[in-house]
Amino acid sequence: MRSTLDSIFKVGFGVSLGVLSGSSEEGVAFARAFDNASEQVLHRFLDPFWKAKRLLNFSSEAAMKRWLRTINAFIYAVIDRKIEQMGRDQQEFAKKEDILSRFLLERERDPGCFDNKYIRDIILNFVIAGRDTTAGTLSWFLYVLCRNQAVQDRIAEEVRAAATGGRDVGAQELVACLTEDAIGKMHYLHAALTETLRLYPAVPVDVKCCFSDDTLPDGYAVNKGDMVNYQPFPMGRMEFLWGADAEEFRPERWLDGDGIFVTESPFKFTAFQAGPRVCLGKEFAYRQMKIFAAVLLSMYRFEMWDADATVGYRAMLTLKMDRPLYVRASLRR
Ligand code: HEM
């Protein structure tokens, strides 16, 4: 979680947060407030009195106000720092490629098109979309790999072949070898991550609300205000979609006879949504998860601390484990 938060801030907003290293106290406080506030948003679905508590500034809703103050102060400070940078050197700033810089440049061209509050919401949207999803998927990935040691070994071999031509190198050199080209050759790793998402989709249920009366493609009528959801978690385990071995973790199902990854229709493999609202960060997510997995698996072999332990899930917006995942890592060489 800490490293995916650092990474979304670096790539998305051009800011080094330092939460993983613990070097930024504000960053750590922001991460904590963000986690607490996300959990409280979910509790609101279960607590019929949350609005009254907010009005009376009481209990969890009083805490929520404190967390929101921390979150807002941090994000507005990031925006202010960027605006200051832009004021110092316009030409240099125009070369920046992160999302926040692009939004600020757009506002320079068309003043008044959006305010800082709008930009704050964009940033938080990206943090929500891009942090827990990849962090959670990597945890499930580690869990299924601990139970499938042969898959772990095959990924380690593939990474070494694609990145260094089979040479044993240290972590620093391996990271330097993880080019776009090398990552693109890791078909088995891509398949193993996709298979993890089939069984443990980061967004297990996706809920929508109808804005107007409509008819679904199968003829079912829905009315304005109705809630409609699709459910990637059960869909990923349906035998009529995936065959009799639907419950099995089998990365090979995603590969053709030459070991090349073959994608499925997003209407069948729904972990990233489908159609116009498909996940905007899908490619980024795969790249990030492949880099993490490549470095960790080529260096270490992972086993469950307690070989017989199983992990369940918690009912949250994203698919979380119901307990910490205790693993033992041993050097591969
Ligand atoms: C395993 C990783 C991920 C999964 C499974 C995933 C899944 C999804 C899903 C299911 C949606 C649709 C939500 C809806 O119906 O409104 C979505 C939307 C989105 N995702 Fe991801 N996501 C992942 C990673 C990321 C990352 C890393 C980023 C950012 C870099 C990101 C950015 C977004 C954005 C901006 C949207 C909103 C798109 C829109 O509303 O048009 N996602 N994602």
Side-chain angles (χ1 to χ4, degrees):
M1 286 275 209
R2 287 195 243 160
S3 75
T4 51
L5 185 63
D6 276 352
S7 128
I8 192 80
F9 262 83
K10 184 74 196 161
V11 179
F13 321 126
V15 173
S16 300
L17 209 55
V19 177
L20 184 62
S21 65
S23 61
S24 154
E25 266 175 43
E26 294 97 339
V28 173
F30 164 76
R32 201 172 306 125
F34 185 81
D35 276 343
N36 291 338
S38 307
E39 208 167 331
Q40 179 55 18
V41 167
L42 200 76
H43 283 160
R44 283 178 174 178
F45 283 98
L46 310 170
D47 179 1
F49 304 112
W50 75 266
K51 281 188 181 168
K53 286 181 184 168
R54 186 173 64 178
L55 194 72
L56 299 170
N57 198 24
F58 171 67
S59 180
S60 50
E61 287 297 323
M64 183 72 161
K65 279 190 188 153
R66 283 198 306 278
W67 298 325
L68 289 181
R69 269 199 298 276
T70 308
I71 293 169
N72 282 334
F74 184 80
I75 299 289
Y76 284 131
V78 168
I79 299 173
D80 288 345
R81 225 179 305 151
K82 277 265 163 183
I83 293 173
E84 207 182 290
Q85 266 180 28
M86 189 164 68
R88 257 184 274 134
D89 190 345
Q90 278 268 356
Q91 271 185 343
E92 197 49 39
F93 196 85
K95 292 184 202 151
K96 292 195 183 292
E97 292 194 328
D98 62 275
I99 301 159
L100 176 54
S101 303
R102 285 184 189 194
F103 268 95
L104 292 175
L105 284 168
E106 193 52 40
R107 191 166 66 177
E108 277 288 291
R109 276 191 280 273
D110 180 9
C113 57
F114 35 71
D115 56 10
N116 278 2
K117 183 171 174 295
Y118 183 86
I119 299 181
R120 176 204 66 177
D121 291 347
I122 298 276
I123 294 183
L124 286 176
N125 195 14
F126 267 86
V127 174
I128 291 164
R131 183 189 74 144
D132 296 16
T133 47
T134 44
T137 305
L138 282 166
S139 306
W140 290 109
F141 178 66
L142 213 54
Y143 171 60
V144 287
L145 291 197
C146 284
R147 301 168 74 87
N148 293 275
Q149 290 291 325
V151 175
Q152 225 179 113
D153 293 344
R154 192 166 158 190
I155 293 173
E157 256 172 53
E158 183 188 64
V159 168
R160 215 173 297 160
T164 68
R167 271 186 314 124
D168 275 340
V169 295
Q172 296 292 343
E173 198 180 335
L174 178 77
V175 170
C177 293
L178 290 178
T179 58
E180 195 68 33
D181 185 43
I183 293 170
K185 286 184 191 152
M186 297 173 192
H187 289 270
Y188 190 71
L189 172 56
H190 202 98
L193 285 165
T194 309
E195 183 70 344
T196 305
L197 279 164
R198 179 180 70 83
L199 291 168
Y200 302 101
V203 181
V205 179
D206 197 341
V207 185
K208 303 284 169 225
C209 182
C210 298
F211 275 131
S212 58
D213 296 353
D214 206 346
T215 308
L216 298 182
D218 67 353
Y220 192 86
V222 288
N223 298 320
K224 183 178 175 181
D226 281 353
M227 302 285 267
V228 177
N229 66 64
Y230 76 93
Q231 307 199 1
F233 189 93
M235 281 181 79
R237 291 156 187 259
M238 283 176 177
E239 289 192 5
F240 86 91
L241 284 176
W242 301 99
D245 62 355
E247 292 271 355
E248 249 177 70
F249 176 76
R250 209 170 57 76
E252 290 75 13
R253 76 175 78 235
W254 296 92
L255 301 174
D256 69 9
D258 298 321
I260 305 294
F261 178 83
V262 183
T263 191
E264 276 286 359
S265 156
F267 293 93
K268 175 178 171 185
F269 171 62
T270 53
F272 291 98
Q273 251 276 39
R277 296 304 296 272
V278 73
C279 171
L280 290 179
K282 182 179 168 193
E283 297 310 317
F284 175 87
Y286 268 111
R287 191 164 313 142
Q288 183 189 42
M289 294 190 294
K290 282 172 94 169
I291 292 171
F292 264 99
V295 175
L296 288 177
L297 293 172
S298 55
M299 295 289 151
Y300 300 100
R301 175 175 281 113
F302 292 91
E303 295 162 277
M304 297 283 284
W305 191 259
D306 169 2
D308 299 325
T310 52
V311 179
Y313 60 81
R314 278 167 76 189
M316 293 186 70
L317 292 176
T318 52
L319 196 70
K320 293 259 169 68
M321 291 183 176
D322 62 354
R323 69 197 71 172
L325 180 68
Y326 293 110
V327 296
R328 185 183 292 117
S330 47
L331 270 177
R332 252 186 200 279
R333 282 163 280 123

